[in-house]
Each structure stands twice: as structure tokens, then as C-alpha cells.
Amino acid sequence: NVKPAGILLTRTANDLVEDHGHLMHLFLIRYPDLDVFYHLHPKSTGPSRFEIPLPPTPAGDYRLFADFVHQSGFPETPVGELAIPAAITKGTALTTNDGDDSVAAPLPDGLRLLWDRPATLVALRPYSLDFRLVDANGQPADSMQLYMGMAGHAVIARRDLSVFAHVHPSGTVPMAALMAFGDHSLMQSMSNVSGDAIAPAVSFPYGFPQPGAYRLWVQVRHKGRVLTVPFDCEVQPAPATDSK
């Protein structure tokens, strides 16, 4: 449901647990150009109800992906559509709702996020997608910080949105799901991080399930600000297997 000041979401689910400090991670992607991207965190306003004020948002047709995790550890990502006929120019600032909310925007201070990508990407093969944050001189940037308990987050989508994945350095399984099944190793490793600053690099294990054109949004935190950078790539079909 769309309200003048925000979005109201309803879902019959009263057994949700926090994942990375939030009951819901909501992604807004403008379609078909995939040129606008928001990562928001609606607040629970009642049983099965979530609400969030919209930030300044360009007009267009959006696809919505809402990530949440049940107490059983089962993750779910319902999808929806949202039409914004006229640009919202006086929306609520991202920092007002939640310090983890973010939007894809040019990086400040000459920062660049570099992808050390393989020469060829092929469907159905496992990869480590490796990224480095560098300063204006091409040197490793200092003051990179954990973002919601991780070195980074990534959203990977086929350009027709037939594939959508919210990926962490631990993979596509939410932290809450790992905790539900008794795997506390990742939380322990995060608790061992010394100080606030971390190495300016992040890697995501992932295998593209289908060939085609993809867009990736990689998110890291630097000096308290969430940086979101889009990348495009083409994934080749997996070679035909020998039936003999």
C-alpha cells in the first residue's frame, strides 16, 4: 500500500526474528532500467504490519523485495510493485528513519569500489566476488567499518529480475537462519574484530543460476556512511555437459 509519506506493508507473519538487527530488509529497484536502488528497514507497527517513510524518490515503476526470517530459520522474500507517478521531493531523510538505510549514489571524496572480477563469468559455477575500496590515489581506503555486522552486503539481480539474491560474505543464508540452526561461528568471528575499522575489502561467494545480463549493488560502510555501488556484468551459459 502506498501512502503520501511512505509505504505500508502487511504480511501474515508473526514469528519473525531480527536479521542483522532488523526484522525486515526492503529493497526498492526502479524497473526496467535498474537505475535507482534503495535498501530500507521498515518498522513493525503492529501484527504483520510494517511501515516506512519514503526518502526523496524519483518517479517511476519500482519492484519491491522484502527480506525477513522466521523463527524456524526459514528466510522469505515476498515481491511487489510500486508506482510513483511524481517524484517525491520532500521525503524523509534516510538518516531519520534508520542509520542503515541507503541509496545508490556517487561516492564522495574520490573513493572508488573496485571489482577484481574474473575474465569470464559462467552460470552454475561457484565464484568469490572480490571488491576493494580505494581512495582518490588508488590506495586502500582507511576507516571502512562493519555494515550491519558484516564487511559488506550485496544484492545480485538479473536485469529482468527473474533472479534476486541478497548476499553476505557468508553467502546467501541470512545470519538469523545460521543462528537458528546453531551456527554461531560467524557471530564469533565478528566479535573478534579489533576496533571500529576493518580491512577495506569484501568478498561474496556466489554462483549465478542463469546466464544473462546482471546488475550487482555492493554496499560497505565508510566513516559512518553507507556506500552503495552498482556493477554490471554478463554471465555466459554453462557449457553443455558430455552425456557419455
Side-chain angles (χ1 to χ4, degrees):
N1 299 329
V2 183
K3 300 170 65 178
I7 300 176
L8 174 67
L9 302 101
T10 58
R11 180 72 172 176
T12 305
N14 298 317
D15 64 339
L16 305 184
V17 295
E18 288 190 353
D19 187 39
H20 303 286
H22 303 281
L23 287 176
M24 180 181 288
H25 297 260
L26 178 66
F27 301 93
L28 278 69
I29 302 174
R30 188 160 67 171
Y31 189 80
D33 293 335
L34 312 190
D35 57 338
V36 181
F37 173 94
Y38 290 92
H39 180 176
L40 308 175
H41 302 96
K43 307 298 184 185
S44 176
T45 57
S48 304
R49 293 168 65 90
F50 293 83
E51 189 169 355
I52 186 167
L54 280 172
T57 309
D61 293 322
Y62 288 80
R63 300 295 184 266
L64 280 64
F65 299 83
D67 273 0
F68 52 79
V69 182
H70 297 273
Q71 290 178 359
S72 64
F74 179 74
E76 209 178 342
T77 307
V79 301
E81 299 181 359
L82 172 65
I84 300 180
I88 299 172
T89 59
K90 296 182 179 180
T92 303
L94 289 172
T95 53
T96 299
N97 176 65
D98 193 301
D100 291 334
D101 287 357
S102 56
V103 59
L107 300 190
D109 305 323
L111 290 170
R112 290 179 294 154
L113 191 65
L114 306 180
W115 181 9
D116 298 324
R117 74 175 72 189
T120 304
L121 293 168
V122 179
L124 303 178
R125 290 185 181 176
Y127 290 98
S128 175
L129 308 179
D130 304 324
F131 300 86
R132 297 178 289 117
L133 185 66
V134 300
D135 61 22
N137 298 316
Q139 298 301 308
D142 59 6
S143 301
M144 187 165 134
Q145 303 158 306
L146 293 178
Y147 176 38
M148 293 186 292
M150 296 281 189
H153 293 247
V155 167
I156 300 173
R158 201 168 183 264
R159 291 201 69 96
D160 63 0
L161 297 183
S162 62
V163 174
F164 176 90
H166 179 191
V167 187
H168 312 118
S170 59
T172 56
V173 180
M175 182 184 290
L178 293 175
M179 298 286 285
F181 287 101
D183 185 351
H184 298 265
S185 59
L186 185 62
M187 184 65 72
Q188 290 169 353
S189 67
M190 287 304 172
S191 66
N192 291 332
V193 174
S194 176
D196 198 29
I198 62 173
V202 60
S203 298
F204 304 96
Y206 189 70
F208 295 91
Q210 301 174 16
Y214 282 77
R215 172 155 285 193
L216 291 66
W217 293 269
V218 179
Q219 300 192 284
V220 298
R221 191 190 295 275
H222 179 262
K223 294 184 177 179
R225 178 175 177 177
V226 181
L227 310 179
T228 303
V229 183
F231 296 88
D232 292 311
C233 66
E234 188 75 26
V235 177
Q236 304 300 320
T241 58
D242 188 349
S243 60
K244 294 183 180 180

